[in-house]
Amino acid sequence: MKFAMSYSCGKDSTLALHKMLEQGHEPVCLVVMVNEEAGRSYFHGADNEMLRLYGQALGIPVMSCPARGETYASAFEAGLARARDLGAAAACFGDIDIDGNRRWEEERCAAAGLEPCFPLWQRGREELVHEIIRLGYKCLIKSVNRTLLPPELTGRMLDAETVRLMKAAGV
């Protein structure tokens, strides 16, 4: 099945993409929401050059969808519709367990005429972190909530020791 990947540039959307490829599905594009005012992707703050490099490294075209807060939903739906026009029958998401996010994405997919896919849904977060490490992905921690984690985790690669430290902190 051809699909569009809703891509945040983070570990969960990367693992969801991996799962879809592993099942033999074909991506038509990475749909990336871009904050119009900041000139960076929402959620992980990748600039246009970084997005180009992600697409190049993955061998999948990036479809940037610029938006402001009030136009986010309509811009996302427009991006999904463009992916449908490229042949996508589904849109894939890296969501794990937040029902409100899933419902929102299902509504956007319905508006765009795509089937929603959630390959990580209801899997344990720790299990998923260990899986992405085991698969060999390199995940850089670019920011931390300092009320929960020590700031020295910033800039570290996600590995078994980092997971241990996070777990010890209750995350």
Side-chain angles (χ1 to χ4, degrees):
M1 164 181 65
K2 290 185 177 184
F3 71 99
M5 183 70 224
S6 176
Y7 198 67
S8 70
C9 306
K11 67 181 178 5
D12 298 334
S13 62
T14 299
L15 184 56
L17 173 62
H18 179 94
K19 292 292 185 189
M20 293 296 283
L21 295 172
E22 190 174 64
Q23 294 169 18
H25 301 295
E26 180 185 340
V28 299
C29 63
L30 303 172
V31 177
V32 180
M33 296 305 296
V34 174
N35 182 320
E36 246 177 38
E37 294 158 357
R40 296 179 168 278
S41 68
Y42 278 94
F43 307 111
H44 291 284
D47 63 17
N48 288 331
E49 177 62 10
M50 181 65 78
L51 292 175
R52 185 187 70 72
L53 292 170
Y54 272 113
Q56 182 180 330
L58 294 168
I60 304 169
V62 173
M63 181 183 298
S64 291
C65 300
R68 288 190 226 50
E70 66 274 8
T71 62
Y72 191 97
S74 60
F76 189 65
E77 286 177 14
L80 292 178
R82 288 188 352 238
R84 183 198 61 228
D85 293 345
L86 292 173
C92 180
F93 303 90
D95 293 86
I96 300 167
D97 57 15
I98 301 174
D99 289 321
N101 288 359
R102 180 177 175 143
R103 279 192 302 278
W104 187 90
E105 292 155 349
E106 288 171 338
E107 290 168 5
R108 304 292 76 74
C109 283
L114 294 175
E115 184 69 30
C117 296
F118 299 89
L120 308 182
W121 190 250
Q122 295 300 311
R123 294 205 30 220
R125 289 178 178 269
E126 187 175 350
E127 168 195 351
L128 293 171
V129 167
H130 287 295
E131 182 173 0
I132 201 158
I133 293 168
R134 187 175 61 254
L135 287 168
Y137 288 96
K138 305 295 181 207
C139 304
L140 178 69
I141 299 172
K142 63 181 201 64
S143 66
V144 296
N145 180 335
R146 292 178 183 202
T147 62
L148 299 173
L149 294 169
E152 43 288 348
L153 287 181
T154 305
R156 284 186 61 164
M157 297 303 280
L158 187 61
D159 59 17
E161 176 61 14
T162 306
V163 172
R164 187 190 68 70
L165 291 170
M166 294 169 80
K167 192 172 178 179
V171 174

